[in-house]
Amino acid sequence: MEDLTQEEWVSQLQNDPNAVILDVRTDAEVADGIIENAIHIDIHKGQGFLEEVEALDKTKNYYVYCRSGNRSGQACAVMNQLGFENAYNLLGGILEWEGDLVDKD
């Protein structure tokens, strides 16, 4: 797991053809908007979170965020334990996000 500032996260993400954005916030938080093209898996789902993450492609690079960077850091650690080699945590989370948000589909 690697903690990245917003600038590092965005720069690395833009130059990564193997990137997947993962939002681990709650449904209520996601209702306020989501980073475009993000996959939403609520970390509070416990076993359900583990099952959904386990089904993801482990060869991809995951850019993970939450509200403040706390839960996404935990999610990255869990992903590393599950065999994901590249999980990048957005420091400061969506609270410090300066990019656009879109409505969840």
Side-chain angles (χ1 to χ4, degrees):
M1 174 185 91
E2 192 175 343
D3 290 322
L4 301 177
T5 65
Q6 179 174 217
E7 292 76 21
E8 292 167 333
W9 200 81
V10 169
S11 173
Q12 196 166 310
L13 176 64
Q14 288 174 338
N15 296 306
D16 187 348
N18 207 24
V20 176
I21 303 171
L22 180 61
D23 183 326
V24 297
R25 298 177 298 155
T26 64
D27 288 339
E29 290 170 319
V30 168
D32 292 334
I34 189 168
I35 295 175
E36 192 168 13
N37 298 320
I39 297 170
H40 174 233
I41 305 176
D42 183 353
I43 194 169
H44 286 139
K45 287 165 83 174
Q47 187 61 36
F49 173 79
L50 291 175
E51 289 168 3
E52 287 188 53
V53 167
E54 189 68 64
L56 297 173
D57 183 348
K58 291 187 172 123
T59 66
K60 300 281 187 190
N61 302 322
Y62 290 88
Y63 294 80
V64 188
Y65 72 95
C66 65
R67 191 180 67 84
S68 68
N70 214 355
R71 285 171 286 168
S72 52
Q74 295 170 2
C76 286
V78 167
M79 292 173 78
N80 287 155
Q81 290 172 351
L82 292 173
F84 290 83
E85 289 184 26
N86 299 308
Y88 304 104
N89 179 37
L90 175 61
L91 289 172
I94 209 79
L95 289 176
E96 296 183 17
W97 181 250
E98 295 172 3
D100 292 332
L101 297 176
V102 297
D103 290 333
K104 186 172 187 251
D105 297 337

